[in-house]
């Protein structure tokens, strides 16, 4: 396990963010830090992603900022240039994975099936995003799919919220969870950073309670 994925595991919950206006990156980072959540996955679902990664990293050196929804090598390059410390992809893309490995960029590719997991293992990766977690069958599916893969850890993402976070975190094969529930796009757009801070706090509390 490398240092970055190790840190994500310790934090336990990764806020998955879609930012329309990169100017929100600084106050969003502040809200996450105040809520006790020193990481963010900024997704390439919006055109502002690279700029937002750059701005959040520059404003808050103590936040582990990564890039999500990376679909192409070009986006991976943009993410690295902007200062992203890790990359997350929704599915398994061998070309993007190879680029990340060659460029010493920690990569968590998305998997949903045993075949996907085999492909990731063949590249030497053993911390994988399980996506879309809830639609793919949730905790029950992850238990069954992950069971044979001793040593593989998952970051379930997709449909995780305050009500099911603890169930996922209780599984031995779960490294951390990802979710947008504490950083919803509308809250960011409306500048409701106090609300985001409080939601982050709540998520961090669930992690603490589940792991204590
Ligand atoms: C992602 O981009 O990884 C997911 O869409 C996040 O899923 P959620 O919005 O259901 O938390």
């Amino acid at each position: 396990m490398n240092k970055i994925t190790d840190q994500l595991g310790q934090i336990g919950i990764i806020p998955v963010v879609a930012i329309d206006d990169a100017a929100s990156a600084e106050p969003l980072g502040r809200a996450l830090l105040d809520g006790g959540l020193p990481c963010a996955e900024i997704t390439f679902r919006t055109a502002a992603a690279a700029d937002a990664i750059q701005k959040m990293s520059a404003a808050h050196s103590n936040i582990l900022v990564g890039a999500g929804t990376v679909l192409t090598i070009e986006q991976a390059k943009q993410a690295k240039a902007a200062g992203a410390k890790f990359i997350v992809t929704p599915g398994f893309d061998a070309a993007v994975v190879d680029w990340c490995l060659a460029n010493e960029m920690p990569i968590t590719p998305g998997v949903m099936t045993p075949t996907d997991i085999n492909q990731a293992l063949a590249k030497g990766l053993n911390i994988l995003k399980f996506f879309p977690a809830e639609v793919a069958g949730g905790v029950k599916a992850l238990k069954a799919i992950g069971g044979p893969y001793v040593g593989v850890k998952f970051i379930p993402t997709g449909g995780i919220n305050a009500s099911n976070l603890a169930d996922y975190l209780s599984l031995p094969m779960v490294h951390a969870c990802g979710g947008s529930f504490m950083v919803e796009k509308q809250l960011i757009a409306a500048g409701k950073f106090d609300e985001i801070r409080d939601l982050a706090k709540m998520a961090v509390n669930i992690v603490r309670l589940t792991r204590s």
Side-chain angles (χ1 to χ4, degrees):
M1 203 186 295
N2 73 39
K3 202 170 150 256
I4 301 289
T5 46
D6 202 10
Q7 267 175 270
L8 292 173
Q10 279 161 15
I11 296 167
I13 173 81
I14 305 165
V16 178
V17 188
I19 296 186
D20 279 324
D21 179 1
S24 309
E26 191 280 320
L28 174 63
R30 167 61 44 215
L32 291 172
L33 281 177
D34 289 347
L37 206 39
C39 71
E41 175 189 326
I42 298 182
T43 62
F44 273 76
R45 289 176 180 222
T46 69
D51 203 10
I53 289 169
Q54 194 276 325
K55 286 199 159 61
M56 192 182 285
S57 306
H60 306 289
S61 58
N62 44 351
I63 301 189
L64 192 52
V65 183
T69 321
V70 171
L71 302 178
T72 62
I73 292 176
E74 189 46 42
Q75 286 175 334
K77 285 181 183 169
Q78 285 174 28
K80 187 174 179 5
K85 298 289 190 300
F86 64 93
I87 280 180
V88 181
T89 62
F92 184 88
D93 184 299
V96 172
V97 166
D98 285 344
W99 185 90
C100 289
L101 293 174
N103 288 277
E104 290 177 5
M105 172 63 81
I107 161 92
T108 306
V111 298
M112 198 176 84
T113 67
T115 307
D116 300 337
I117 299 171
N118 285 350
Q119 291 193 63
L121 281 176
K123 298 285 182 191
L125 300 173
N126 59 5
I127 298 183
L128 312 173
K129 170 175 176 168
F130 178 58
F131 179 77
E134 277 292 283
V135 171
V139 164
K140 210 171 159 196
L142 182 52
K143 259 187 188 167
I145 295 167
Y149 294 97
V150 179
V152 175
K153 296 271 186 186
F154 297 90
I155 303 182
T157 308
I160 311 273
N161 54 46
S163 341
N164 59 19
L165 176 58
D167 298 336
Y168 282 98
L169 288 172
S170 305
L171 297 182
M173 67 270 278
V174 167
H175 184 67
C177 287
S180 64
F181 68 96
M182 65 295 238
V183 284
E184 277 176 24
K185 221 175 163 185
Q186 310 86 278
L187 292 180
I188 299 173
K192 296 190 172 168
F193 297 109
D194 287 355
E195 216 169 301
I196 291 173
R197 177 203 57 212
D198 293 346
L199 287 165
K201 244 183 219 170
M202 180 194 61
V204 168
N205 255 334
I206 294 173
V207 175
R208 277 201 199 116
L209 288 172
T210 312
R211 289 179 165 177
S212 62

